[in-house]
Amino acid sequence: MKRALLVGINYTGTSYNLYGCINDINNVKTYLSTNRNYDSFIILTDNTPQKPTRSNILAGFSALLKGAVAGDELWFHYSGHGSLVRDMNGDEESCADSC
């Protein structure tokens, strides 16, 4: 099985609007379909009926993992805003890890 969860959030209509995140996941989907023979996709964007909320992303992970066995290929791609959290192991000059 080759299955992917692709999340692209442009934050359309907000003051945090981005312009390429949905394009990113469309390009990843094309790559996975064309070059890696993926045929099963879970896609969450500002434009899909199921929005990329925390709850829906976690449900997407559950669906991605359901029935997976050793040897399957599973792919996750997120494009959108990130955040910073405290660097717990001291390997970042900024004292923050990106997430």
Side-chain angles (χ1 to χ4, degrees), residues 5-99:
L5 169 59
L6 308 177
V7 180
I9 310 172
N10 282 350
Y11 306 90
T12 306
T14 73
S15 58
Y16 306 104
N17 195 31
L18 296 172
Y19 298 96
C21 300
I22 294 172
N23 290 341
D24 289 347
I25 65 156
N26 289 336
N27 289 334
V28 169
K29 181 181 180 194
T30 298
Y31 166 76
L32 291 173
S33 297
T34 305
N35 297 76
R36 305 289 302 170
N37 298 316
Y38 276 64
D39 60 5
S40 179
F41 296 91
I42 302 159
I43 297 176
L44 301 172
T45 75
D46 302 302
N47 300 332
T48 54
Q50 223 177 8
K51 303 303 178 207
T53 63
R54 179 183 190 275
S55 175
N56 288 341
I57 292 170
L58 291 174
F61 273 113
S62 292
L64 180 68
L65 297 170
K66 186 175 184 176
V69 297
D72 288 347
E73 281 187 31
L74 303 177
W75 188 292
F76 171 69
H77 181 91
Y78 170 85
S79 187
H81 285 296
S83 188
L84 298 173
V85 295
R86 193 171 129 226
D87 176 19
M88 301 300 283
N89 66 354
D91 68 338
E92 299 293 338
E93 285 184 34
S94 66
C95 298
D97 285 321
S98 300
C99 61

